[in-house]
Amino acid sequence: MNRTQRQCQQQVHELNTTLETRTSEYSHLVLSQRICLNNLSALNNNLTMLENNITTLSSELSEQKRTQSDLRHQLNQHEMTYRIIKENKAQICQYLTSKRVPACPQGWIEHEGRCYFLSILEESYDGSREHCSNFDARLLEIGSKQEEEFVSTSIGEVYQTYWIGKCRYGNVDSNLLRKYNSRSSCSKCNAYRGYNPCKSKRRFICEKSAHLYPDIPAEIRGLCQHPEGKT
């Protein structure tokens, strides 16, 4: 083999080696390109998912904003309604509680802010006073002709005598109120011949001031007394 042939073989060998190297590099390049393409595809998928999530979140945020706006509007309406109801309640309660009527215990008669009790039980004069005191009252003290007429009408048309405290009408201090048919009169309890009529037992009439209560049912009165939020 001459020199020229050896040189040609050497060159062919070098070219083959270069070709193998280039082929190997190309294979690595193709593999790298595939990996890059796969990564790019995955990134695109992730990007699409993120875009979808952003769209969904944006939609939810818009819905929440609308809901929040609706709730704020409803809250404003409720607050306005609450203030109106509160003002109406205050006005109604003020009207009801300012309207007062005299009230007497059961079994008593009310007349012009006074309460009267006409007993069926008979007691002595001192016993009658004590009985009235137990009612937080006193024996009747008639202060006017009109009051005497009212008491006489309340007694009725039957004859009866009642212990009383005083009959100031006509400047007469008396212990007895006598009723016969439609007429009544006050008289004094006078002892005579060792007999004290004040110890005899008779019916009696007590009186006291009437309490003033709002002219509304107890349950409504309770609602007006409770603070807001505890009705």
Side-chain angles (χ1 to χ4, degrees):
M1 181 179 298
N2 56 28
R3 181 177 181 182
T4 299
Q5 289 178 337
R6 284 196 301 269
Q7 287 179 347
C8 287
Q9 288 179 351
Q10 181 66 30
Q11 289 177 354
V12 170
H13 178 70
E14 290 177 357
L15 288 174
N16 287 333
T17 302
T18 301
L19 180 60
E20 290 176 357
T21 302
R22 294 289 184 267
T23 301
S24 177
E25 290 177 354
Y26 176 76
S27 298
H28 285 294
L29 182 60
V30 170
L31 180 61
S32 298
Q33 186 179 20
R34 288 178 180 174
I35 294 173
C36 288
L37 289 174
N38 290 335
N39 290 337
L40 181 60
S41 177
L43 288 174
N44 285 332
N45 291 335
N46 291 336
L47 181 60
T48 301
M49 291 176 60
L50 288 174
E51 289 177 347
N52 292 335
N53 290 337
I54 290 173
T55 302
T56 301
L57 290 175
S58 297
S59 177
E60 291 178 354
L61 180 60
S62 299
E63 183 65 27
Q64 288 179 358
K65 287 182 177 179
R66 286 193 296 270
T67 302
Q68 186 179 20
S69 178
D70 292 340
L71 290 175
R72 187 178 292 108
H73 179 68
Q74 293 177 15
L75 178 61
N76 292 335
Q77 287 184 325
H78 289 321
E79 288 180 346
M80 184 178 300
T81 303
Y82 171 78
R83 286 196 297 269
I84 294 174
I85 293 175
K86 184 178 179 180
E87 291 174 0
N88 289 341
K89 176 188 173 183
Q91 293 176 358
I92 292 172
C93 287
Q94 182 179 5
Y95 169 76
L96 291 177
T97 55
S98 64
K99 183 182 178 183
R100 296 179 177 272
V101 294
C104 295
Q106 186 176 2
W108 291 60
I109 304 172
E110 188 277 326
H111 177 68
E112 294 186 354
R114 306 289 296 174
C115 297
Y116 299 87
F117 176 77
L118 281 66
S119 76
I120 299 176
L121 176 70
E122 293 184 345
E123 288 281 0
S124 66
Y125 181 73
D126 290 338
S128 298
R129 288 196 304 177
E130 183 179 357
H131 206 94
C132 290
S133 179
N134 292 336
F135 286 142
D136 194 24
R138 66 182 182 184
L139 282 173
L140 170 65
E141 295 186 2
I142 299 177
S144 66
K145 180 65 175 177
Q146 291 77 13
E147 186 176 24
E148 181 182 353
E149 291 176 352
F150 164 73
V151 173
S152 177
T153 301
S154 300
I155 292 174
E157 296 298 327
V158 297
Y159 170 78
Q160 193 60 256
T161 302
Y162 289 85
W163 289 122
I164 63 172
K166 291 182 180 180
C167 185
R168 293 177 178 173
Y169 162 69
N171 297 321
V172 179
D173 293 339
S174 306
N175 307 106
L176 295 171
L177 177 66
R178 300 182 185 277
K179 176 67 184 290
Y180 182 74
N181 291 333
S182 60
R183 298 182 61 186
S184 62
S185 62
C186 298
S187 63
K188 201 168 184 178
C189 178
N190 295 318
Y192 60 94
R193 295 182 183 180
Y195 171 67
N196 186 359
C198 290
K199 294 188 180 295
S200 63
K201 291 189 175 183
R202 303 179 185 275
R203 296 184 180 186
F204 54 92
I205 302 177
C206 303
E207 70 164 340
K208 63 180 179 178
S209 298
H211 295 288
L212 294 179
Y213 291 102
D215 187 20
I216 56 175
E219 59 270 18
I220 297 180
R221 191 183 311 124
L223 289 175
C224 288
Q225 292 172 350
H226 290 165
E228 289 76 10
K230 296 183 179 182
T231 53

